[in-house]
Amino acid sequence: MKDGTGRSAVLIQNPFGRDHLDLGGAWPVIVDPRAPGLHPPLPGRDISGLVQGRVAGGGLELVEFAFTNARTLETGRDWNTQQAQLFFYESAIWHRRDFTAGKKSGRRYLLHFGAVNYRADVWLNGAYIGAHEGGYTPLAFDVTDALGEGDNFLIVKADARLDAATVPPLVTDWWNYGGIKREVLLLSLPDTYIRDYWIRLDDLATRRVRASFFLDGAAGGAEIELSLPELGETARAVVNDAGVAEVDFHTEAELWSPHRPQLYDVEIRCNGETIRDRIGFRTVERRGADILLNGEPVFLKGISAHDESPRHDGSAYGIEDARALLSLARELNCNFVRLAHYPHHQFVARLADEIGLLIWSESPVYWQIAWDDAATLQNARAQVRAMVERDRNRCSVVIWSVGNETPPTEPRLAFLKALIEEVRQLDDTRLVSAAIYGRDRDVRQPVVNTIRARLLTDAEVTEGTKTPVRDALLAAGVDADDRAALERLALAPRLSIDDPLSDYIDVIAWNEYFGWYYASQWAATVPIDEATMARMFLDLMGELAFDPAADKPLIVTEFGADAKAGFEGDDVTMMSETYQLRIYELQLAMLARSRKLRGLSPWVLKDFRSPLRTHPVYQDYYNRKGLVDETGARKKAFAYLQKIYDRLGDAPLQFMERKIAARDGPG
Ligand code: GCB
């Protein structure tokens, strides 16, 4: 067995729309926690035997593995929530699938996986096919040569281990669900086949549709026919020697929007294959600080979500999970969902097309990545490419995000710039962003100085408390004895949200945690005790506002507070529903004062699994910032945000600036 050789994976557009054999279901498995340490292999555990289908010979043959009588796991789902023993499991599992294939000559066969987390190694009938890294995007291998007529056996090793060089890295605030998590299909294709296609409205004024086709095989001269039967529109293109065909045509299609999510049947014919899809036509652009959908400004009433469903524990699978999640967003009166922090199941964007939700799609570049590692960049680039190629036919997707909360350093800037270029090369019809947390000097320092000035100008605060605060202010270069200067400083600042990345992205996306993390994170630098700091923060939130310096739209892509559903508490008790509600009230009042705000996606729709959230009473391995808990039970803040979004209609949040009374809600 040679790891890491073999062919590289490709991406097939619309695999379910091809002639296929579904290989999903219960597969026998070998759970192999120490697989990585077996070099050289122990005598009875020679893996080359395993992948070649060796079975115990009995008698005097030493074989310490077998798929016969082994436990089974369902593919298409994570392994962690199928068996209690695997809940925390993050190593390797070997899977075997026996199947019968009717192989026809002149056809190409591709083995497609919707996603395998994190690394997949694949063998077919003992031949090593290839490897793939990245747990959230599809991969496919051409297995035409290895496939046999009749009986076949497939071995897949899924290895969920993450480290400092992987994408995402080891430490994330979500569950590293392992396994062959999405579909496994054996595709049967013409010898020369359309690997990928991209159909989009290219120009709003002339209603010009452009379609690009990318073929595999000896392609030059092949003919492609594209038709929209409901509109009676047909276009033809001839494939060039590079295997690419392009065509554009005028369409009478109605524009797609969240209010009217009009989709059209599309049929693509080439070399005897007919691929069917449903496509909507719309444009998205930025003009100054506005986001334009079909040329009209749109305000994104959003929510962030992980790829988990309120229907069951574990990562989401199947269309009903996608429906459950997006229905919750619709119930909340959203027109926008931020799919964090990795590409979700392909069903999600397809469903969003159908029901009319705008989508933010994100790569798993998260927190602390190995910015200087060329292999990590190559890996991230491949994952970004797969994200864009998989979903660029989805009109619901309006923003590609290359990462989340990354430090504003030079190596990170170079890394993310490379990813942004990659996205723009693949897709020049959408906006590009990345969620940032803001520079210290733009956010923390001004807020901390305001808190210091408020303490020093408050007659009730004791001298003992004031002395270290005065020293800290002096050290920050402020004349702490100039009363007038202190009073000016005590006024709430208007924070400029910036990042070196601002020049390269279309939308400034900011994650902020006023009312949650900041008081405990920053109290020591004031210095003041955490509870006093937290109280002062609540006051300050009633006055703060933000705007990026750049003339670009701002979306606050995260804010929130944990709340354990059913724990009513009060508005000065963290982890309670009442406190979470209070933070939503204060946040919305604060955001409504921000002139360039063009959307928000609070954190988060549903409580989600996280290894970082271990509090036995409130969390038990759930991040509790959901507006609903894991069973779908609505918390108080759900109804509040739902009401605000309802009242807003199509208007931006700023229209409600005066109506959002911070304490009483919209009234
Ligand atoms: C963040 C991260 C998100 C976390 C969230 C939290 O800033 O972007 O992944 O889950 O905060 O709850 O801490």
Side-chain angles (χ1 to χ4, degrees):
M1 176 190 82
K2 278 201 226 128
D3 255 341
T5 56
R7 64 208 73 194
S8 45
V10 295
L11 185 131
I12 298 291
Q13 187 60 237
N14 190 6
F16 284 105
R18 316 296 183 112
D19 187 359
H20 65 263
L21 176 67
D22 190 337
L23 297 177
W27 294 18
V29 298
I30 298 170
V31 178
D32 195 5
R34 288 290 174 269
L38 285 180
H39 296 294
L42 293 174
R45 274 198 40 113
D46 180 1
I47 299 299
S48 62
L50 178 95
V51 299
Q52 267 133 36
R54 184 174 174 203
V55 287
L60 290 175
E61 229 181 298
L62 176 63
V63 181
E64 296 195 65
F65 50 80
F67 282 108
T68 36
N69 300 319
R71 67 164 94 185
T72 61
L73 283 172
E74 288 287 329
T75 57
R77 297 183 46 184
D78 66 77
W79 64 47
N80 310 77
T81 55
Q82 293 191 49
Q83 293 175 7
Q85 277 177 324
L86 298 177
F87 185 63
F88 290 106
Y89 189 70
E90 288 184 88
S91 191
I93 296 191
W94 299 85
H95 303 69
R96 176 172 171 138
R97 173 73 156 98
D98 291 74
F99 63 95
T100 309
K103 187 177 178 183
K104 293 195 195 113
S105 69
R107 302 283 294 172
R108 298 273 289 279
Y109 293 88
L110 271 86
L111 191 59
H112 156 93
F113 298 85
V116 180
N117 191 30
Y118 168 77
R119 179 184 162 111
D121 282 275
V122 178
W123 293 259
L124 183 60
N125 300 322
Y128 185 59
I129 300 296
H132 177 268
E133 274 191 47
Y136 301 94
T137 37
L139 52 140
F141 297 105
D142 189 328
V143 294
T144 313
D145 296 340
L147 188 74
E149 165 65 29
D151 293 343
N152 288 271
F153 75 96
L154 173 67
I155 304 277
V156 181
K157 179 175 115 182
D159 191 338
R161 284 172 308 145
L162 298 173
D163 58 39
T166 53
V167 182
L170 178 61
V171 181
T172 66
D173 190 23
W174 75 86
W175 212 257
N176 181 30
Y177 292 114
I180 304 176
K181 288 186 357 188
R182 297 177 188 162
E183 73 279 358
V184 186
L185 308 177
L186 179 68
L187 309 177
S188 167
L189 302 162
D191 194 37
T192 296
Y193 64 94
I194 299 177
R195 184 187 66 75
D196 188 16
Y197 56 85
W198 181 28
I199 302 164
R200 69 280 189 193
L201 183 64
D202 197 42
D203 185 64
L204 184 64
T206 59
R207 300 291 162 99
R208 197 165 57 110
V209 170
R210 247 174 97 188
S212 313
F213 304 90
F214 308 91
L215 277 80
D216 206 303
E223 267 219 5
I224 295 175
E225 186 189 273
L226 166 72
S227 59
L228 281 69
E230 291 137 300
L231 299 169
E233 294 170 4
T234 302
R236 285 188 181 78
V238 177
V239 180
N240 68 19
D241 290 340
V244 177
E246 292 264 353
V247 64
D248 60 58
F249 59 94
H250 169 83
T251 186
E252 293 295 325
E254 244 185 73
L255 297 177
W256 180 96
S257 73
H259 285 304
R260 226 184 124 64
Q262 178 68 51
L263 299 178
Y264 292 92
D265 287 332
V266 167
E267 294 176 4
I268 303 161
R269 292 193 176 77
C270 180
N271 286 341
E273 186 186 35
T274 301
I275 307 168
R276 295 192 168 76
D277 210 332
R278 301 260 301 153
I279 298 216
F281 300 98
R282 54 98 191 102
T283 56
V284 57
E285 303 153 84
R286 172 184 78 84
R287 190 178 56 204
D290 281 334
I291 297 173
L292 307 180
L293 183 72
N294 298 328
E296 300 290 328
V298 61
F299 186 86
L300 304 177
K301 297 188 293 183
I303 191 72
S304 296
H306 268 288
D307 196 18
E308 288 185 10
S309 155
R311 300 171 69 235
H312 57 80
D313 201 2
S315 72
Y317 57 90
I319 188 74
E320 288 314 317
D321 281 352
R323 203 179 297 284
L325 201 76
L326 294 190
S327 303
L328 267 177
R330 285 296 292 265
E331 187 186 326
L332 202 54
N333 297 313
C334 291
N335 62 5
F336 173 64
V337 183
R338 174 185 179 217
L339 302 180
H341 285 302
Y342 41 76
H344 288 209
H345 202 293
Q346 57 152 321
F347 290 144
V348 180
R350 283 194 174 270
L351 194 62
D353 277 7
E354 239 176 69
I355 66 179
L357 279 165
L358 300 167
I359 294 291
W360 158 299
S361 179
E362 186 162 304
S363 93
V365 171
Y366 182 89
W367 287 356
Q368 193 51 56
I369 291 278
W371 306 114
D372 291 313
D373 187 330
T376 303
L377 176 59
Q378 202 188 349
N379 176 351
R381 211 192 268 270
Q383 294 195 47
V384 161
R385 196 181 315 126
M387 166 177 88
V388 173
E389 284 188 350
R390 191 194 69 177
D391 283 351
R392 64 185 166 171
N393 287 301
R394 305 281 73 84
C395 52
S396 53
V397 178
V398 287
I399 301 175
W400 299 119
S401 165
V402 294
N404 178 70
E405 289 188 357
T406 54
T409 61
E410 269 305 314
R412 163 278 208 164
L413 184 62
F415 192 104
L416 293 189
K417 270 168 66 179
L419 297 185
I420 292 167
E421 269 164 35
E422 185 76 34
V423 174
R424 292 201 193 280
Q425 257 177 27
L426 289 166
D427 182 0
D428 53 0
T429 71
R430 289 180 172 84
L431 306 178
V432 183
S433 191
I436 58 172
Y437 54 67
R439 278 185 296 213
D440 221 38
R441 67 161 194 250
D442 298 325
V443 186
R444 188 185 63 84
Q445 284 175 21
V447 170
V448 163
N449 281 341
T450 297
I451 298 271
R452 286 170 175 157
R454 287 186 176 189
L455 285 164
L456 293 184
T457 50
D458 185 339
E460 314 244 300
V461 175
T462 65
E463 277 311 307
T465 302
K466 283 181 178 170
T467 303
V469 173
R470 182 178 293 113
D471 292 347
L473 211 44
L474 285 170
V478 178
D479 182 356
D481 298 316
D482 177 343
R483 181 80 195 180
L486 280 186
E487 277 166 7
R488 274 196 306 278
L489 195 59
L491 299 174
R494 174 169 281 270
L495 301 176
S496 80
I497 305 310
D498 275 294
D499 183 292
L501 208 55
S502 301
D503 291 342
Y504 306 95
I505 49 185
D506 300 309
V507 174
I508 314 292
W510 187 39
N511 294 353
E512 51 92 355
Y513 280 93
F514 283 94
W516 194 250
Y517 294 120
Y518 291 172
S520 78
Q521 259 176 309
W522 300 349
T525 63
V526 171
I528 192 76
D529 67 281
E530 187 181 332
T532 307
M533 182 80 165
R535 266 194 302 278
M536 294 182 75
F537 253 90
L538 294 179
D539 288 340
L540 191 61
M541 284 172 74
E543 302 160 47
L544 278 176
F546 324 100
D547 271 314
D551 183 27
K552 292 188 175 180
L554 169 69
I555 305 181
V556 170
T557 29
E558 286 182 31
F559 70 79
D562 282 61
K564 168 92 171 132
F567 172 35
E568 176 148 6
D570 57 36
D571 67 4
V572 288
T573 302
M574 293 175 103
M575 300 284 178
S576 74
E577 284 199 38
T578 309
Y579 185 80
Q580 186 190 44
L581 171 64
R582 172 113 172 96
I583 296 308
Y584 269 71
E585 291 169 351
L586 288 168
Q587 281 280 356
L588 291 194
M590 186 166 75
L591 298 187
R593 287 190 290 272
S594 302
R595 288 185 294 257
K596 292 179 186 162
L597 186 87
R598 293 297 178 272
L600 62 153
S601 54
W603 193 253
V604 59
L605 182 54
K606 185 191 82 68
D607 290 353
F608 60 95
R609 287 286 189 191
S610 167
L612 308 184
R613 311 295 170 174
T614 57
H615 193 286
V617 176
Y618 302 115
Q619 298 175 317
D620 197 20
Y621 299 100
Y622 279 105
N623 180 312
R624 293 286 181 202
K625 294 187 189 71
L627 291 176
V628 305
D629 77 356
E630 69 275 24
T631 67
R634 277 71 172 155
K635 304 180 194 174
K636 286 170 188 258
F638 184 95
Y640 175 71
L641 188 63
Q642 184 184 44
K643 186 157 70 170
I644 296 280
Y645 279 172
D646 179 38
R647 295 200 179 168
L648 273 183
D650 288 332
L653 188 68
Q654 291 88 337
F655 278 29
M656 292 191 69
E657 182 183 340
R658 292 205 176 74
K659 293 203 196 101
I660 303 176
R663 201 161 248 293
D664 310 323

